[in-house]
Amino acid sequence: MLTRSRKPASARRIAAVLALGSLVALVSGVVRGWPWWALIPLPVIGVAALVYRSRTAPAGVWMGPLPAQAPAFQPRGDLRAGVDAARAEGRDVVLASADGRPGGVGTTQLAAWYAHQAVRDRADLVVWVDPTGPEAVMSAFAMAAALVGAPGRGETDPEEDARALLDWLNDTDRTWLIVFDGITDPEQVAEWWPQRHSPTGWFLATTRLPGPIASSGRAATVEVGVFSAQESRAYFTARLAGVGGDAIDDVAARLGQLPLALSHAAAYMVNEGVDCREYLVRLADQSPDQDAVAAGVSLAAEAANGQEPVGLALPLLRLAATLDPAAHPGAIWDAPEVARYLADQCTATGGPEYVDSAEAARAAAVLQAYGLLSVDPMNPIWTVRMHGDTAAAVRAATPTTVHRAAAQAAADAVLRIWPDPDDYPDGAAYVAVLRGNAAVLAGQEGDPLWHPEGHELLFRAGMSLSMAELHDAAERYWRMLVDGGERVLGPEHDDVLGARRHVATAMVGQGRADEALPLLRRLVASLTEANGERDETTLSALEHLAVAATASGQTREGVQVAERLVAGRNAVDGPQDEKTLKASWILATCYRFDGRPDDAITSIQPVVAGYSAMWGLEHPDTWAVRQMLAALRAESRAVGGTDPKAHSADA
């Protein structure tokens, strides 16, 4: 959700000064004996200024999938005292699961309490980030920079805009809070967690990782454990409205005082109309191998599936569990692929034969009532959330074939709603959420999107990162695809080789051509052997190898590879094709860096002619190759080259 303040802080300050000035003038006028009619405008001006200030008080800016406050939220005063003490010292805070415990202890809910408090206090900026996506932090910071009007943003480069927000956080006198919820890789947040920042704001993070999670020395760690027996009793008493019976403490003890497990139990008892003693009986019927969360999820899912529309809740829950727990857009549920999946699953278990989005919404409401997910239908970007441990429990209990069908349907839906183009900054928040969901689907246990071969979404998400020149995130993502593809399809499959090429391209984009070069050489050899010199995948790999070799100083190799590329493009696409002209441009560049300006001129001339005819003289690429031709002729003159035009008066 995004919301803006209505007026800038400077306008509110002017209103305050005007109100105060009017009061001072009024008092001074009375003391000095001014006539009454001269005093009338002063209180009018003062009251008007105060009304203006109150009506334009900042609603603040908040963005991200901020969770709703849980029912019967426990204040956890000892933990908040630790957070508040760190804040009083001017330090940031990390909420960490105590003793390396699994999740579900309430770190996210405690962070959400502080975020909601900041919103209620009208902080100028509150940003909630799930930092597990491929470039989630950068995208969130770039969007926040636009919302607060951070100086230095250009709205063409997300990294540049994200760094503009860092500068704003360092220097602003406005109030702010940044929340990193669920850090799993400290490196993904370290560069976005500054060593210093303005004292008017702070960073709050949650994690299951032990030890320091950021390079910032400002962060204090507050360990979060399970509820105390008193907190569990207070929670159940509030949720169950006094009808839990005499076994409240027994249920809490059976569930290990774990807040997530207690929330599942409370929702189940409320909806099923049973007390704690009956809940213990039903819980005992679950598999003894299940932990507290898994057993509670299993009970709740079974009960929800029996509600109207009967048989729909469980298939929908299984589909939601394949997506990003942080959030996914509600538009996914409107996709026909999801409707087909739900209908297939329902038909197999005696449920409805046709499922539309309205039926899915009804089933989602049932799942929300049982505490298995949360839905905000008014938020089109971060519509559906699900606790990560709840999702993991659902996936673990789902048969492999069903899980694969759910993941495939979810991937089809994400691909269907992916905007084209997805250029920054238009729709940046939406695309960032889609990338996060694609990454979660790509990393699913069992590699469901690699059967029978790589799903198109895997490559669409990777290309989105690469085309946005988010090279670090792209490399991590493409490496994940290489690993998944190799496990299922083997190292020589075309999809795996293609992903490996994108890894190398991302490395070149980071200025690591030397490291990419061996990988590209092996890739070209594999593709040539498997598909031949004239195959499109081979030609694409040759293009990247020529660029990497030249960039790493291996100019002779770059020339040889580029010559192979041009020969192949001429044979496959013809001399006037756009791909062939691009290959000739690459060859000209390789000749130039190899100290052969005349050969470069020969190679670039048909590109100038082709682009001029194709796009006209004002096109950026036409202008670029014409500039290159002029520069090459100057270089040819300098070395006494043989190109005749280089030495003519009209060169």
Side-chain angles (χ1 to χ4, degrees):
M1 181 66 71
L2 309 176
T3 179
R4 293 177 181 270
S5 58
R6 291 188 291 271
K7 292 291 180 183
S10 58
R12 299 193 303 274
R13 285 194 291 268
I14 291 171
V17 170
L18 187 60
L20 180 61
S22 299
L23 176 61
V24 171
L26 178 62
V27 173
S28 177
V30 171
V31 171
R32 295 182 181 184
W34 292 0
W36 66 269
W37 51 266
L39 298 176
I40 291 177
L42 297 177
V44 174
I45 293 172
V47 170
L50 288 175
V51 169
Y52 174 85
R53 178 174 171 79
S54 67
R55 290 186 176 180
T56 58
V61 175
W62 67 273
M63 58 167 289
L66 175 57
Q69 200 72 74
F73 172 75
Q74 294 304 296
R76 312 198 77 171
D78 56 335
L79 298 177
R80 285 168 48 193
V83 174
D84 295 343
R87 285 291 303 125
E89 297 173 358
R91 303 177 71 186
D92 300 323
V93 177
V94 178
L95 301 173
S97 297
D99 304 320
R101 295 183 63 91
V105 295
T107 54
T108 293
Q109 273 299 310
L110 188 54
W113 185 89
Y114 278 100
H116 283 289
Q117 187 62 45
V119 173
R120 287 191 292 270
D121 291 344
R122 295 178 176 269
D124 290 296
L125 175 66
V126 178
V127 179
W128 186 280
V129 189
D130 167 51
T132 58
E135 34 55 84
V137 178
M138 181 193 299
S139 295
F141 276 31
M143 289 180 282
L147 291 174
V148 299
R153 74 190 191 285
E155 297 190 350
T156 57
D157 183 341
E159 182 171 0
E160 176 184 301
D161 290 358
R163 297 200 182 283
L165 182 75
L166 284 182
D167 293 339
W168 184 88
L169 296 176
N170 287 341
D171 302 326
T172 186
D173 61 354
R174 295 162 71 182
T175 54
W176 56 271
L177 170 63
I178 308 291
V179 180
F180 295 142
D181 181 39
I183 294 176
T184 57
D185 182 356
E187 292 184 1
Q188 291 194 10
V189 300
E191 67 174 313
W192 304 109
W193 194 327
Q195 293 288 337
R196 71 170 191 89
H197 56 68
S198 77
T200 58
W202 59 301
F203 283 82
L204 176 61
T206 73
T207 186
R208 302 182 188 185
L209 300 176
I213 62 165
S215 59
S216 173
R218 303 170 59 100
T221 298
V222 175
E223 291 194 338
V224 180
V226 298
F227 279 165
S228 67
Q230 293 77 16
E231 287 173 327
S232 295
R233 190 179 305 116
Y235 174 78
F236 272 147
T237 300
R239 284 294 310 270
L240 303 178
V243 296
D246 58 358
I248 283 180
D249 291 342
D250 295 334
V251 172
R254 166 66 179 83
L255 299 177
Q257 318 289 354
L258 188 67
L260 177 63
L262 267 60
S263 72
H264 290 148
Y268 180 91
M269 287 186 276
V270 167
N271 282 279
E272 294 296 300
V274 300
D275 62 10
C276 289
R277 196 164 296 283
E278 176 62 21
Y279 184 76
L280 283 173
V281 172
R282 298 187 184 188
L283 200 63
D285 292 336
Q286 300 301 304
S287 169
D289 297 331
Q290 291 180 311
D291 60 23
V293 171
V297 168
S298 179
L299 261 183
E302 181 181 354
N305 204 45
Q307 303 295 320
E308 290 291 341
V310 176
L312 185 54
L314 184 57
L316 186 61
L317 182 66
R318 287 169 169 169
L319 183 135
T322 68
L323 291 160
D324 189 353
H328 67 259
I332 286 175
W333 293 0
D334 296 329
E337 295 85 355
V338 168
R340 283 197 296 271
Y341 154 79
L342 293 173
D344 289 344
Q345 295 298 313
C346 289
T347 302
T349 57
E353 296 182 0
Y354 174 76
V355 177
D356 59 18
S357 58
E359 291 282 281
R362 289 175 60 199
V366 172
L367 292 170
Q368 180 163 255
Y370 278 86
L372 296 172
L373 49 74
S374 62
V375 184
D376 181 0
M378 302 304 293
N379 191 331
I381 301 176
W382 299 287
T383 311
V384 182
R385 293 179 56 91
M386 191 176 192
H387 194 284
D389 288 353
T390 302
V394 172
R395 292 195 301 270
T398 302
T400 300
T401 55
V402 177
H403 175 60
R404 189 174 297 169
Q408 292 273 350
D412 289 342
V414 174
L415 185 63
R416 175 176 290 276
I417 66 175
W418 202 293
D420 186 24
D422 60 5
D423 295 337
Y424 176 82
D426 297 335
Y430 194 61
V431 172
V433 170
L434 295 182
R435 287 173 181 156
N437 277 275
V440 168
L441 283 162
Q444 294 278 298
E445 186 175 352
D447 304 305
L449 298 193
W450 286 103
H451 297 274
E453 57 186 9
H455 193 285
E456 185 180 350
L457 175 67
L458 298 173
F459 304 97
R460 179 66 183 87
M463 289 304 300
S464 177
L465 290 169
S466 296
M467 293 174 67
E469 298 185 359
L470 300 170
H471 300 301
D472 290 350
E475 182 187 352
R476 290 193 297 271
Y477 180 84
W478 288 115
R479 285 190 182 278
M480 178 174 64
L481 293 199
V482 169
D483 293 342
E486 285 184 343
R487 282 193 297 269
V488 179
L489 304 177
E492 299 303 316
H493 190 279
D494 281 352
D495 287 346
V496 178
L497 295 175
R500 199 174 286 133
R501 173 171 61 82
H502 286 297
V503 170
T505 303
M507 294 168 68
V508 173
Q510 297 170 61
R512 296 161 53 204
D514 288 348
E515 298 176 53
L517 202 53
L519 192 155
L520 283 166
R521 288 171 181 153
R522 292 194 298 271
L523 180 62
V524 166
S526 296
L527 288 170
T528 302
E529 181 179 356
N531 303 324
E533 185 86 359
R534 300 294 185 257
D535 184 78
E536 181 62 35
T537 58
T538 307
L539 292 171
S540 180
L542 283 170
E543 177 181 316
H544 289 85
L545 176 56
V547 171
T550 301
S552 62
Q554 305 296 319
T555 57
R556 185 62 55 84
E557 179 183 4
V559 166
Q560 292 171 348
V561 173
E563 288 175 341
R564 289 171 59 188
L565 171 64
V566 171
R569 285 296 182 199
N570 270 297
V572 173
D573 302 305
Q576 300 304 315
D577 187 84
E578 182 181 343
K579 293 178 181 178
T580 306
L581 295 175
K582 180 184 177 183
S584 297
W585 189 355
I586 292 172
L587 177 57
T589 303
C590 294
Y591 279 140
R592 185 181 190 183
F593 279 93
D594 198 40
R596 298 163 61 179
D598 288 345
D599 290 333
I601 289 170
T602 301
S603 184
I604 201 68
Q605 282 175 330
V607 183
V608 172
Y611 281 8
S612 298
M614 192 179 304
W615 294 317
L617 297 179
E618 302 304 319
H619 190 277
D621 285 349
T622 307
W623 183 88
V625 294
R626 291 179 68 203
Q627 289 294 109
M628 181 176 175
L629 177 57
L632 285 169
R633 285 176 171 155
E635 292 170 16
S636 178
R637 285 195 297 271
V639 298
T642 59
D643 179 62
K645 272 208 167 186
H647 302 278
S648 66
D650 61 347

